[in-house]
Amino acid sequence: MTLAIPAYLAIIGFLGWSAWRGGQTEKVMFIVNLGFLWLSAIWLFGYPALILPAVAAAGSFLLFLVVMTSSDLRIPVAVTEPYDTRDDDYDLR
């Protein structure tokens, strides 16, 4: 089983390369193949293959919400007014 993992990764890499360079049908079939791969992982490993992507998605969504709503984590940038080049009545030199 351990020796089969690199072969599966090579197949997924080849399918991804083909989908990137191929037509619309290959892109759709790549998504379908990833779905079948996930379903086969659920069939082989059971509940962990189902719950781990859900936990990862929840964590990434929480991180997205924290990044979007935290203004204290950003570096404040001072807004400056553009220099006015019009001639005035007085000279500041």
Side-chain angles (χ1 to χ4, degrees), residues 38 42 45-59:
W38 184 48
I42 292 171
F45 302 114
Y47 188 66
L50 181 64
I51 197 66
L52 287 177
V55 170

Side-chain angles (χ1 to χ4, degrees), residues 2-59:
T2 306
L3 295 175
I5 292 174
Y8 288 129
L9 291 177
I11 291 171
I12 293 170
F14 176 72
L15 292 175
W17 179 81
S18 177
W20 184 264
R21 302 230 189 274
Q24 194 68 22
T25 304
E26 289 179 347
K27 291 178 184 7
V28 171
M29 293 312 293
F30 177 71
I31 300 298
V32 169
N33 283 329
L34 285 180
F36 282 137
L37 182 67
W38 184 48
L39 288 175
S40 67
I42 292 171
W43 180 68
L44 286 173
F45 302 114
Y47 188 66
L50 181 64
I51 197 66
L52 287 177
V55 170

Side-chain angles (χ1 to χ4, degrees), residues 40-82:
S40 67
I42 292 171
W43 180 68
L44 286 173
F45 302 114
Y47 188 66
L50 181 64
I51 197 66
L52 287 177
V55 170
S60 64
F61 188 71
L62 180 63
L63 180 66
F64 172 73
L65 286 176
V66 167
V67 167
M68 292 301 292
T69 59
S70 63
S71 62
D72 292 338
L73 296 177
R74 294 190 213 130
I75 299 171
V77 178
V79 178
T80 59
E81 294 291 326

Side-chain angles (χ1 to χ4, degrees), residues 79-91:
V79 178
T80 59
E81 294 291 326
Y83 180 73
D84 191 8
T85 58
R86 291 179 289 161
D87 292 329
D88 292 328
D89 293 330
Y90 55 91
D91 191 12

